Amino acid sequence: MEEQQQKKIMLTGDRPTGRLHIGHYVGSLRRRVELQNAGGFDEMYVMIADTQALTDNAGNPQKVRDNVIEVALDYLSAGLDPEKTTIFVQSRVPELFELTCYYLDLVTLSRLERNPTVKSELQMRAFNNESIPAGFLCYPVSQAADITAFDTTIVPVGEDQAPMIEQCNEIVHKFNSMYGETLVPCKIMLPENEAARRLPGTDGKAKMSKSLGNCIYLSDDAKTVEQKVKTMFTDPTHLKVEDPGHTEGNPVFIYLSAFATDEHFARFWPEYKNLDELKAHYERGGLGDVAVKKFLANVLNDVLEPIRQRRHKYEENIEEVYKILAEGSAKAQAKAHETVMRVRRNLGLNYFENRKLIEKQQKAYNKAHKEEEARAAFLAKQKKN
């Protein structure tokens, strides 16, 4: 454990319920690639959480199956390198489900229901008269298994996942206090850019979401991006070009805060040095939404074009992508197995590897048999006399 605690290990992932969008990219994926290329971690794991996706897609497993390859393509095209980062599929690591079973005994039903992320989803489902699978209610425990299986120390995710990290560490603390130091606690890593923490949808809704259809996907072509940006929600009070506009809460400017650099201004709109100058002009009036949206489309396409090109190359060899996933899953399973063996040992479930237990039990039975034989011999002698 001491050696493991000294290591810096990262794990994160996504549910394969659709292609990844730019909210995923700025919220976590871009940071993963930066961390990978900086080389500051001893080990890096990125998981395609297909089993977790089934908690609310049990009736449509084909949707999950088909999107495993889509997410894998998004990972690779965004710059994740399988030589540096282990990309794996959750269902191919059975040790994760064994750990989940052990952890479920450490968490109460009321604690799961109090988890803010779960609570909001339960309320929404209840409002829509939808049934709630037990697997969905328990998925924070499953996430704790995913994280602890790899001795993860850092989890780069969006701020909406903070309650999951908190609950994971509660499980770690309880397990270690009951069974000895076994599991490693972790810390959340939020996006450094505050605008990237929760990118709103193109329709102005609170969050970009595949289910709401308000996404710009990493795989969208340039024309599609331009069209989606053109129809984006902006400041409803900015009716005329000369009207003062609001940048606070304006999706177009939130996107620019997440993506635009000074270099983008130099290339696509040299009239402004940076985003602050553009915001100032918009806020005092005299700048139309059409011009700002055109600039945003140029910025997004500049960011997405290298991703599109890499994706196209991987799409030409899907068998190779599956090979990457198979090799990554085997590597992840080997790592998770080490953790499971520690957990079994401290729970006392390592029956077949515990030679001391076997020898101790054998001695106890041998002693019992000798005592029984001596007692029988004594009784026989008494009877004879």
Side-chain angles (χ1 to χ4, degrees):
M1 278 296 297
E2 205 171 304
E3 180 186 349
Q4 292 296 339
Q5 287 175 323
Q6 291 173 353
K7 284 189 174 183
K8 195 174 180 183
I9 300 174
M10 187 211 83
L11 176 127
T12 188
D14 299 279
R15 290 155 43 98
T17 53
R19 294 171 293 156
L20 300 185
H21 52 65
I22 61 173
H24 294 117
Y25 183 70
V26 295
S28 180
L29 186 51
R30 179 171 63 183
R31 186 67 172 144
R32 298 174 204 173
V33 175
E34 291 170 353
L35 293 171
Q36 167 194 271
N37 295 338
F41 285 89
D42 297 289
E43 300 170 29
M44 293 184 66
Y45 297 88
V46 177
M47 179 180 73
I48 300 177
D50 60 332
T51 307
Q52 191 183 112
L54 286 171
T55 57
D56 52 359
N57 289 280
N60 191 7
Q62 183 175 344
K63 173 186 175 183
V64 176
R65 183 195 67 194
D66 291 346
N67 279 302
V68 165
I69 192 66
E70 294 292 342
V71 173
L73 287 166
D74 285 329
Y75 283 166
L76 295 167
S77 61
L80 288 180
D81 182 351
E83 295 295 321
K84 300 176 181 177
T85 299
T86 301
I87 305 172
F88 70 98
V89 180
Q90 184 183 31
S91 63
R92 308 308 298 174
V93 185
E95 286 78 1
L96 302 179
F97 314 114
E98 181 175 347
L99 290 175
T100 300
C101 287
Y102 299 145
Y103 297 169
L104 281 170
D105 296 328
L106 305 177
V107 182
T108 64
L109 178 61
S110 61
R111 175 62 183 94
L112 287 172
E113 291 174 335
R114 287 198 311 273
N115 184 301
T117 306
V118 174
K119 187 176 181 179
S120 62
E121 185 71 20
L122 294 179
Q123 290 172 341
M124 185 182 74
R125 284 171 176 259
F127 179 79
N128 295 327
N129 293 318
E130 296 179 29
S131 60
I132 301 163
F136 176 82
L137 179 64
C138 298
Y139 86 81
V141 183
S142 172
Q143 282 195 344
D146 298 334
I147 293 167
T148 56
F150 303 97
D151 298 319
T152 306
T153 57
I154 299 292
V155 186
V157 288
E159 62 181 354
D160 60 323
Q161 292 298 305
M164 301 300 183
I165 304 303
E166 180 183 352
Q167 188 148 23
C168 174
N169 283 331
E170 287 178 12
I171 291 172
V172 168
H173 176 74
K174 189 165 186 178
F175 192 100
N176 288 349
S177 63
M178 293 176 68
Y179 304 111
E181 290 297 316
T182 313
L183 305 173
V184 178
C186 65
K187 293 181 180 179
I188 190 171
M189 176 184 283
L190 295 171
E192 294 179 338
N193 185 332
E194 191 171 340
R197 293 188 178 183
R198 183 167 292 199
L199 209 63
T202 55
D203 56 359
K205 295 289 175 62
K207 186 178 180 181
M208 186 173 286
S209 167
K210 289 172 281 192
S211 60
L212 294 176
N214 59 4
C215 304
I216 295 175
Y217 293 100
L218 297 181
S219 54
D220 281 343
D221 60 38
K223 287 186 177 180
T224 301
V225 171
E226 290 172 7
Q227 184 60 35
K228 288 182 176 181
V229 170
K230 189 181 295 184
T231 59
M232 276 182 69
F233 178 85
T234 56
D235 176 11
T237 68
H238 190 241
L239 301 177
K240 299 177 182 178
V241 172
E242 58 269 22
D243 290 339
H246 297 87
T247 58
E248 186 75 23
N250 187 327
V252 173
F253 282 91
I254 294 174
Y255 284 25
L256 287 173
S257 296
F259 287 97
T261 64
D262 292 352
E263 288 75 16
H264 284 130
F265 281 94
R267 287 177 59 194
F268 302 120
W269 211 350
E271 181 180 342
Y272 304 96
K273 290 182 180 179
N274 50 46
L275 184 57
D276 289 337
E277 287 191 3
L278 180 65
K279 283 183 175 180
H281 190 174
Y282 188 84
E283 289 169 356
R284 68 175 179 263
L287 181 60
D289 288 317
V290 172
V292 180
K293 287 181 177 181
K294 182 179 179 181
F295 174 63
L296 174 59
N298 286 333
V299 170
L300 291 178
N301 278 323
D302 184 66
V303 172
L304 295 178
E305 187 55 30
I307 296 175
R308 295 187 195 110
Q309 291 178 8
R310 283 192 292 266
R311 183 185 177 97
H312 182 69
K313 289 182 180 178
Y314 281 110
E315 285 175 342
E316 292 178 342
N317 193 350
I318 293 299
E319 188 172 350
E320 177 62 23
V321 177
Y322 274 110
K323 182 181 178 183
I324 289 170
L325 293 180
E327 291 176 350
S329 298
K331 184 176 178 181
Q333 184 179 9
K335 174 73 174 183
H337 185 71
E338 295 175 3
T339 302
V340 164
M341 294 304 288
R342 281 205 315 270
V343 167
R344 287 181 188 169
R345 182 176 66 247
N346 287 9
L347 281 172
L349 303 179
N350 59 331
Y351 310 112
F352 312 127
E353 301 83 17
N354 192 340
R355 294 301 308 170
K356 289 183 178 179
L357 173 66
I358 296 171
E359 291 168 3
K360 179 182 178 181
Q361 291 177 337
Q362 187 64 67
K363 286 180 181 179
Y365 282 117
N366 289 345
K367 182 180 179 182
H369 290 161
K370 286 181 180 179
E371 290 174 350
E372 186 179 345
E373 289 171 0
R375 198 162 43 244
F378 175 78
L379 292 174
K381 186 176 180 182
Q382 288 287 89
K383 188 175 181 180
K384 186 177 180 180
N385 291 338

